Amino acid sequence: MNETRGSKWALPHLGAAHQDAVARARGWAQLALVLVAGCVAVVMVGASSGGWLILLTGFALLALAGAGVWWMLAHRGGARLLGGLLAVAAPLGVMVLYALSGLWPVAVGAVALWAGALASARASLRSVRRPKGTHGRRTPPPRRPVLIMNVRSGGGKVEKHGLVARAEALGARVVLLGTDDTYVDPAQEARRAVADGADLLGVAGGDGTQALVAAVAAEHGVPFLVVAAGTRNHFAMDLGLDRADPVRGLDALTNGVELRVDLGDVSGRPFVNTVSFGAYAEIVQNPDYRDAKAATALDHLPDLLQGDSGPTLDVRTDDIQVHAPQALLVSNNAYARADPLGGGRRPRLDAGLLGVIGVRVDGPAQAAELALLGERAGSITSVTSRRVVVEADRERIAVAVDGEALELATPVVCTVRPAALRVRVPRHRPGAAYAPPTVDWRRIVRLALGRPDPRTIKEAYDV
């Protein structure tokens, strides 16, 4: 692993630390290819004893499970029941088939080797990528911080963790939202605080409230502070904050550093995480969704997936056009993996790009492909773009902005404002968890052969 200097693998324009990182990446890549070869060998041994038909039947059953999920989501009545049974019975059938045929050691061995190969491949890509994240700079503590706290967010985390008393003890003025049924605009409260001399705006609440206050902070050039008191706290997670202990976020008031991160914009409205269009956005408009998420989704998905309701979308990015996706996710910076539900991680918040993930599944065959190939299936489109334009066959469409259900006039334009937001975070914080990238086997082969591509060299420098 250390044969970097003086060999064709050496990259003279990289420093010694980066050379070592690339060398480690090469070692992990070589191990990944060895494990892939072992997986193939195990399968071949099992097949040589007449097990080809059984192995192929196992893959067919897994594909059938994917088709079953499609029938369950896209139909009602008997078709839904049949789909649900297939989705459960097919994987069980695979296990029973391999157990009765005596091929279960082959299956277990192949799965274990393949899992090891994937882990090694991701370790290779991780090794060559310096854990940069977003670097912070030391700045003086604020003198007149104002924190806006929603007492209803996250099931009452503000009260549960005693955030008001803690913030006031650290010199902050606290503005409470949600104390009664009267709606109070958090952006208006933020502007009033700035007019009164606030030199920092903070939020203890959900991502939607954070986005509104963040836009005011960016507009006036004052630092923004996040306290993870919402339900999911995606923005806090990608900032590397401790979501389990919201109180630790207040340490930024006295011992913090400042980050420069991007801010998304959707038709003039800010967002810090995601904007969703299509099926999910339509479903969350329903007033029953918050109290019965699964039942509401199952009730509406058949019409949405088969095109009987909901708008037909046309999406333009910088490089491609996507016609009629059933679901579309636009994120403030790209997710590490193509997860259309936005449940993953964003390795960076300062790349100046939107992440775009579109999904279109037209039937059980594509659902089966999705079950076998995951995010590499042809039904998933994943790109980055500086600008995304969403048009539709309707004047207004449902849009979910950081989880908030809205209706916006078409065309809906999403852009990103690079480094628009000054975020103050605790100097000592857990840090954002590593987001495993999608495995690109062509890159792995090039790394194993000592021929890194330009993207690898760039990542060794500055990612």
Side-chain angles (χ1 to χ4, degrees):
M1 279 197 178
N2 295 321
E3 52 183 60
T4 58
R5 299 167 184 81
S7 72
K8 67 177 183 179
W9 173 246
L11 304 170
H13 52 296
L14 293 181
H18 297 161
Q19 293 256 15
D20 290 340
V22 176
R24 285 195 299 273
R26 184 190 189 191
W28 281 114
Q30 291 171 339
L31 176 60
L33 294 183
V34 169
L35 291 173
V36 168
C39 178
V40 172
V42 167
V43 171
M44 293 294 290
V45 169
S48 66
S49 59
W52 273 117
L53 181 60
I54 294 174
L55 292 173
L56 291 176
T57 302
F59 282 110
L61 286 172
L62 291 177
L64 192 59
V69 172
W70 165 261
W71 281 316
M72 183 177 67
L73 297 179
H75 296 82
R76 296 184 175 90
R80 170 169 288 176
L81 178 60
L82 175 61
L85 291 174
L86 280 176
V88 174
L92 292 176
V94 173
M95 291 187 285
V96 172
L97 177 66
Y98 286 169
L100 293 178
S101 66
L103 285 179
W104 67 265
V106 174
V108 171
V111 169
L113 287 167
W114 180 249
L118 287 176
S120 299
R122 290 191 177 121
S124 175
L125 297 175
R126 180 182 184 179
S127 297
V128 81
R129 165 182 167 269
R130 281 196 301 147
K132 170 183 176 287
T134 305
H135 290 308
R137 63 184 183 88
R138 297 292 298 273
T139 57
R143 295 184 178 182
R144 301 187 65 182
V146 173
L147 269 61
I148 298 172
M149 298 189 179
N150 189 335
V151 298
R152 298 183 180 181
S153 289
K157 288 184 180 179
V158 169
E159 182 178 356
K160 179 180 177 181
H161 292 274
L163 295 177
V164 174
R166 176 61 176 166
E168 290 177 341
L170 294 173
R173 181 167 71 87
V174 176
V175 177
L176 293 179
L177 306 180
T179 55
D180 54 37
D181 293 332
T182 303
Y183 174 75
V184 179
D185 184 359
Q188 183 177 350
E189 292 296 327
R191 290 191 179 91
R192 184 179 294 118
V194 172
D196 291 341
D199 60 354
L200 176 141
L201 293 174
V203 171
D207 291 324
T209 304
Q210 290 173 17
L212 295 174
V213 177
V216 177
E219 176 186 348
H220 293 278
V222 299
F224 177 66
L225 185 147
V226 175
V227 180
T231 302
R232 297 177 180 171
N233 302 298
H234 285 167
F235 191 48
M237 174 178 68
D238 292 333
L239 287 170
L241 302 181
D242 188 345
R243 296 188 296 167
D245 186 4
V247 174
R248 292 187 60 183
L250 296 173
D251 293 345
L253 291 172
T254 55
N255 187 21
V257 295
E258 188 175 295
L259 314 177
R260 279 280 188 176
V261 304
D262 305 335
L263 187 63
D265 183 280
V266 51
S267 295
R269 183 185 178 94
F271 66 96
V272 294
N273 290 323
T274 59
V275 181
S276 294
F277 304 84
Y280 173 75
E282 294 286 340
I283 290 170
V284 298
Q285 303 289 324
N286 192 295
D288 297 329
Y289 177 74
R290 291 194 179 277
D291 295 327
K293 291 182 173 63
T296 304
L298 286 173
D299 185 46
H300 288 78
L301 274 174
D303 296 330
L304 293 169
L305 293 179
Q306 297 191 47
D308 296 331
S309 68
T312 299
L313 306 178
D314 270 302
V315 185
R316 295 198 315 273
T317 71
D318 293 345
D319 300 316
I320 67 169
Q321 185 161 351
V322 183
H323 176 65
Q326 294 156 325
L328 177 74
L329 183 79
V330 179
S331 57
N332 174 25
N333 284 261
Y335 283 90
R337 308 189 71 183
D339 179 359
L341 298 179
R345 276 270 352 276
R346 292 169 291 177
R348 296 184 62 169
L349 293 172
D350 62 348
L353 292 170
L354 298 168
V356 184
I357 302 173
V359 181
R360 173 110 200 145
V361 180
D362 285 323
Q366 288 190 349
E369 180 200 24
L370 185 60
L372 292 175
L373 300 182
E375 61 186 310
R376 293 194 177 280
S379 54
I380 294 184
T381 300
S382 179
V383 297
T384 58
S385 181
R386 298 186 185 280
R387 176 183 170 91
V388 178
V389 180
V390 181
E391 298 184 277
D393 55 355
R394 300 182 183 181
E395 292 184 356
R396 299 182 68 83
I397 58 173
V399 183
V401 182
D402 282 337
E404 301 293 325
L406 304 173
E407 281 195 354
L408 298 178
T410 55
V412 180
V413 180
C414 302
T415 56
V416 63
R417 297 168 55 191
L421 189 60
R422 300 166 55 191
V423 181
R424 189 172 178 88
V425 297
R427 184 182 178 192
H428 302 292
R429 59 191 188 281
Y434 169 65
T438 298
V439 174
D440 184 340
W441 287 103
R442 289 172 298 181
R443 291 187 71 194
I444 297 302
V445 170
R446 292 183 65 87
L447 280 167
L449 295 176
R451 300 170 183 170
D453 56 19
R455 182 166 51 151
T456 299
I457 301 301
K458 183 180 184 299
E459 289 181 352
Y461 267 124
D462 58 10
V463 174

